[in-house]
C-alpha cells in the first residue's frame, strides 16, 4: 500500500508505504531491514513494524514417516503427480505448530483450475466438488494409515 498526496497536482511532504515481505528460508527480518536501509540511503526514511513480525519458517524434513505418508497419499489421489518440497506463497497458521514439531507440511491435495486460482481470497472463493472430495480422501488416507 502506498499513500501520498490527496490530489494529482500536489506534492506530498510525506509518503507512506506498507510492504508485506515474505521471507525465504535463510533470510531474516533483520536482513530485510538492512536491505531497506541500504536501498533508501540518502532519504529520510523510518522503518517500522506494523503487525506481528515473523521470521522465515523452518524447512521441514522429507526423510520422515510423515512425509512418506504424504507421498503415498498423493500417489493414491493423483497417481501421476510427484511429491516434492516447495515454498508456500502465502502465509498460513502453520508457524504456530513450530513449537511442537519440525514436521510441518503446508499442502492441499488439489489441482486447481484458473478460475479457482483467481477466486482465492476473493469474491466467491470456491473449490470444485471434485477438489473438495480429493481433500477429504487425502485426509482420510493420512488418518487411517498413520499408525500402520
Amino acid at each position: 500500500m502506498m499513500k501520498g498526496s490527496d490530489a494529482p497536482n500536489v506534492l506530498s511532504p510525506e509518503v507512506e508505504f506498507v510492504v508485506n515481505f515474505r521471507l525465504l528460508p535463510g533470510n531474516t527480518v533483520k536482513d530485510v531491514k538492512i536491505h531497506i536501509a541500504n536501498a533508501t540511503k540518502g532519504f529520510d526514511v523510518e522503518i517500522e513494524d506494523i503487525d506481528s513480525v515473523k521470521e522465515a519458517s523452518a524447512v521441514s524434513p522429507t526423510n520422515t514417516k510423515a512425509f512418506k505418508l504424504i507421498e503415498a497419499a498423493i500417489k493414491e489421489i493423483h497417481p501421476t503427480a510427484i511429491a516434492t518440497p516447495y515454498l508456500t506463497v502465502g502465509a498460513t497458521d502453520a508457524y504456530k505448530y513450530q513449537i511442537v514439531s519440525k514436521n510441518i507440511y503446508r499442502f492441499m491435495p488439489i489441482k486447481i483450475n484458473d478460475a479457482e486460482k483467481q477466486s482465492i481470497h476473493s469474491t466467491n472463493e470456491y473449490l470444485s466438488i471434485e477438489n473438495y472430495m480429493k481433500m477429504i480422501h487425502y485426509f482420510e488416507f493420512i488418518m487411517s494409515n498413520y499408525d500402520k
Side-chain angles (χ1 to χ4, degrees), residues 23-137:
L23 300 181
L24 292 170
N27 291 136
T28 66
V29 171
K30 183 179 176 183
D31 293 335
V32 172
K33 288 180 178 181
I34 289 169
H35 175 77
I36 295 167
N38 289 335
T40 59
K41 205 171 271 178
F43 295 95
D44 184 16
V45 173
E46 294 176 26
I47 301 168
E48 170 185 343
D49 297 338
I50 61 166
D51 205 351
S52 59
V53 177
K54 293 180 228 41
E55 296 294 344
S57 298
V59 177
S60 299
T62 58
N63 61 343
T64 62
K65 176 182 177 179
F67 192 80
K68 301 298 178 212
L69 187 57
I70 291 170
E71 287 179 311
I74 291 169
K75 189 154 225 47
E76 165 94 8
I77 299 163
H78 300 283
T80 60
I82 298 169
T84 184
Y86 65 96
L87 292 174
T88 303
V89 293
T92 71
D93 289 336
Y95 72 92
K96 295 176 181 179
Y97 297 101
Q98 291 181 149
I99 61 171
V100 294
S101 178
K102 63 181 178 182
N103 301 311
I104 302 169
Y105 304 100
R106 298 153 182 89
F107 177 68
M108 285 181 49
I110 59 174
K111 182 178 178 183
I112 60 175
N113 60 38
D114 286 337
E116 288 170 315
K117 201 181 309 178
Q118 294 300 319
S119 80
I120 295 173
H121 297 316
S122 186
T123 305
N124 297 322
E125 180 175 16
Y126 76 99
L127 285 175
S128 67
I129 292 172
E130 178 185 3
N131 272 326
Y132 186 63
M133 296 310 292
K134 285 184 178 186
M135 286 175 47
I136 291 170
H137 182 69

Side-chain angles (χ1 to χ4, degrees), residues 7-36:
N9 63 340
V10 177
L11 291 175
S12 177
E14 185 175 281
V15 177
E16 293 180 18
F17 288 87
V18 176
V19 182
N20 184 348
F21 290 98
R22 302 296 170 102
L23 300 181
L24 292 170
N27 291 136
T28 66
V29 171
K30 183 179 176 183
D31 293 335
V32 172
K33 288 180 178 181
I34 289 169
H35 175 77
I36 295 167

